[in-house]
């Protein structure tokens, strides 16, 4: 790619062309540690709260003592450190509902099934289901985490500010939104954009698997740590997941992982790395 084209693509993604390399590297490492190892919410953080597992036995002991001594309710105190819920084959999730068998559904019945879905509690707070959109014969499929506020209002994935950046990221490798198929791990918005819970992701998984089976993409681009963890059944950091070809479990569909556009809105210097990921994805597809 010649210099002028490269500059054009970088500009489309809003990548500063003049960032001193030393500063960039230092800050990127800092960001990766804070996002993965500390267990912070990765993306779309506005107004979200961290969820923490609850130490029920410690709290039970405390309440007995509390009643005798008229002490305040300290349930928050017994929350242990946050761990990210991740779907792995070993994760035992008590399912409260039985997902429908989507494996033979066509597009219409699949979309209908999603629009009527009440498998998890997210149906109680959603405005609209967000099924997925795009070219049903696409070579590229982009998979994100879950709808945000704007997606919940419009019923379409990636239509907010993060969606605008996603469009620019695609433009940076010569793709337009209409060429690809876009879907999320969850079809309903989690309240306050919190992370998907394991049971929510598991109950929703059949819908996404059927979408993938119907599209039969040549490559899946996963945006963000949470989506990558759920799709690939892993707990590895985003830093480790980037820059290599993964296979979608039980298939040979190549999966490439990159940053979530909402994260890039907050850390624009990492757009440069995202662009490298996109180049890598393009090369992977061409192989
Ligand atoms: N973030 C996502 O992961 N998906 C969307 O559809 C919007 C924001």
């Amino acid at each position: 790619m010649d210099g002028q084209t490269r500059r054009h693509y970088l500009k489309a993604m809003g990548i500063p062309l003049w960032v001193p390399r030393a500063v960039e590297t230092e800050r990127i490492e800092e960001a990766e540690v804070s996002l993965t190892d500390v267990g912070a919410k990765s993306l779309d953080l506005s107004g979200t709260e961290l969820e923490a597992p609850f130490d029920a036995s410690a709290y039970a002991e405390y309440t007995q003592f509390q009643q005798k001594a008229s002490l305040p309710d300290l349930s928050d105190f017994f929350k242990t450190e946050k761990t990210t819920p991740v779907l792995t084959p070993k994760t035992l999730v008590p399912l409260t509902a039985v997902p429908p068998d989507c494996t033979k559904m066509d597009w219409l019945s699949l979309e209908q099934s999603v629009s009527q879905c009440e498998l998890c509690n997210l149906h109680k707070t959603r405005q609209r289901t967000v099924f997925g959109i795009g070219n049903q014969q696409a070579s590229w499929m982009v998979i994100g985490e879950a709808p945000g506020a704007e997606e919940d209002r419009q019923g379409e994935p990636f239509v907010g500010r993060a969606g605008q950046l996603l469009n620019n990221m695609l433009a940076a490798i010569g793709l337009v939104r209409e060429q690809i198929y876009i879907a999320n791990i969850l079809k309903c918005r989690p309240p306050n954009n919190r992370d998907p819970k394991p049971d929510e992701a598991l109950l929703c998984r059949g819908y996404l698997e059927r979408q993938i089976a119907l599209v039969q993409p040549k490559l899946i681009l996963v945006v963000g740590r949470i989506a990558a963890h759920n799709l690939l059944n892993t707990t590895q950091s985003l830093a480790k997941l980037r820059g290599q070809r993964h296979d979608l479990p039980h298939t040979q569909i190549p999966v490439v992982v990159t940053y979530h556009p909402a994260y890039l809105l907050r850390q624009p210097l990492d757009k440069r790395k995202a662009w490298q990921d996109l180049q890598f994805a393009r090369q992977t597809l061409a192989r």
Side-chain angles (χ1 to χ4, degrees):
M1 184 182 297
D2 64 47
Q4 199 186 355
T5 317
R6 187 166 178 273
R7 273 196 298 283
H8 167 78
Y9 283 155
L10 290 172
K11 193 161 169 253
M13 283 181 69
I15 296 175
L17 303 174
W18 36 260
V19 181
R21 197 161 281 282
V23 175
E24 183 198 347
T25 310
E26 204 179 291
R27 218 193 39 68
I28 283 164
E29 274 159 18
E30 193 186 302
E32 279 168 0
V33 168
S34 68
L35 285 172
T36 55
D37 302 340
V38 180
K41 285 263 311 180
S42 63
L43 308 161
D44 236 336
L45 291 185
S46 48
T48 56
E49 286 200 1
L50 295 184
E51 286 216 335
F54 188 61
D55 188 341
S57 68
Y59 183 55
E61 256 180 59
Y62 172 75
T63 45
Q64 284 183 0
F65 178 65
Q66 176 207 4
Q67 279 156 13
K68 283 190 210 132
S70 339
L71 291 171
D73 180 352
L74 282 187
S75 49
D76 273 352
F77 178 79
F78 291 99
K79 279 183 180 167
T80 56
E81 221 173 273
K82 178 187 159 67
T83 52
T84 308
V86 170
L87 280 181
T88 72
K90 293 187 211 88
T91 309
L92 291 176
V93 181
L95 290 185
T96 49
V98 181
D101 178 7
C102 304
T103 53
K104 297 200 173 56
M105 287 186 188
D106 60 13
W107 280 110
L108 201 64
S109 41
L110 187 63
E111 183 155 9
Q112 211 162 43
S113 182
V114 167
S115 71
Q116 294 162 359
C117 182
E118 296 189 352
L119 288 171
C120 76
N121 282 334
L122 295 182
H123 78 275
K124 295 179 185 158
T125 48
R126 76 181 175 218
Q127 288 189 48
R128 301 182 58 172
T129 52
V130 179
F131 178 68
I133 197 156
N135 180 350
Q136 294 173 351
Q137 278 98 43
S139 296
W140 288 70
M141 190 158 173
V142 172
I143 298 182
E145 178 182 332
E150 200 48 44
E151 290 76 19
D152 181 53
R153 251 191 300 278
Q154 296 190 34
E156 185 175 326
F158 286 101
V159 286
R161 282 182 67 225
Q164 191 56 49
L165 180 56
L166 178 65
N167 293 348
N168 286 342
M169 288 165 71
L170 296 169
I173 47 164
L175 289 170
V176 290
R177 188 178 166 95
E178 291 69 29
Q179 276 177 281
I180 60 165
Y181 193 87
I182 310 177
N184 282 310
I185 299 287
L186 294 189
K187 309 300 185 217
C188 296
R189 182 191 182 206
N192 300 320
N193 300 340
R194 64 156 167 75
D195 288 353
K197 292 182 180 171
D199 60 334
E200 293 160 356
L202 200 55
L203 288 165
C204 226
R205 189 162 181 124
Y207 299 135
L208 180 63
E209 282 178 356
R210 186 61 189 154
Q211 284 175 306
I212 296 170
L214 285 167
V215 174
Q216 297 200 7
K218 295 202 173 70
L219 181 120
I220 295 177
L221 181 71
V222 192
V223 295
R225 179 178 60 96
I226 304 280
H229 281 182
N230 278 286
L231 199 70
L232 298 172
N233 286 330
T234 179
T235 55
Q236 283 194 316
S237 70
L238 192 78
K240 291 222 174 73
L241 292 169
R242 288 182 53 242
Q244 55 173 309
R245 178 204 155 133
H246 306 269
D247 283 339
L248 183 71
H250 315 298
T251 77
Q252 289 178 344
I253 302 174
V255 176
V256 171
V257 179
T258 190
Y259 295 103
H260 193 289
Y263 165 79
L264 294 173
L265 286 172
R266 292 179 294 111
Q267 304 287 354
L269 293 180
D270 282 344
K271 287 180 187 175
R272 188 177 287 266
K273 282 185 145 188
W275 189 61
Q276 288 164 357
D277 295 339
L278 292 168
Q279 301 282 18
F280 175 69
R282 202 166 58 162
Q283 287 155 13
T284 304
L285 194 144
R287 270 184 208 128

